[in-house]
Amino acid sequence: VCVALTADWLIGTLLHNLPVVELPFTYGVLLGPLVIVWYVVGELGSLAEHAITMGAPYPAWLPKILEAGKDAVDKVGEELTDFREGEQRHDR
């Protein structure tokens, strides 16, 4: 989170001090809030999984939602990895 917030500050400072670089929108913060939301969602999912494992009562849809989320993240990660490996092979 600290690294993302520092990156936001650095990007904002560079954009403010380099008149050559112009964006079609006003840059405030982007990376910090994105990382914070990703972290909170990941932790909530982890807490729910542990509660289910320990036998806490839960709605029937909760494990399905958690599994779908994991599958979606895995799929995107695999697609990015395959794409990057394809680029590396193509460059050789």
Side-chain angles (χ1 to χ4, degrees), residues 58-65:
Y58 60 91
W61 51 265
L62 185 59
K64 294 175 188 173
I65 294 281

Side-chain angles (χ1 to χ4, degrees), residues 15 22-30:
L15 290 173
E22 236 179 87
L23 295 177
F25 56 89
T26 303
Y27 186 87
V29 292
L30 171 67

Side-chain angles (χ1 to χ4, degrees), residues 11-55:
I11 291 168
T13 302
L14 288 173
L15 290 173
H16 180 71
N17 292 314
L18 294 175
V20 178
V21 180
E22 236 179 87
L23 295 177
F25 56 89
T26 303
Y27 186 87
V29 292
L30 171 67
L31 300 175
L34 184 65
V35 167
I36 291 169
V37 168
W38 170 76
Y39 184 72
V40 168
V41 169
E43 287 302 309
L44 289 174
S46 178
L47 288 171
E49 287 177 348
H50 290 300
I52 290 170
T53 301
M54 295 176 71

Side-chain angles (χ1 to χ4, degrees), residues 66-82:
L66 294 173
E67 188 64 33
K70 279 185 189 178
D71 291 344
V73 169
D74 288 344
K75 182 179 178 185
V76 170
E78 288 172 3
E79 288 173 0
L80 287 174
T81 303
D82 290 343

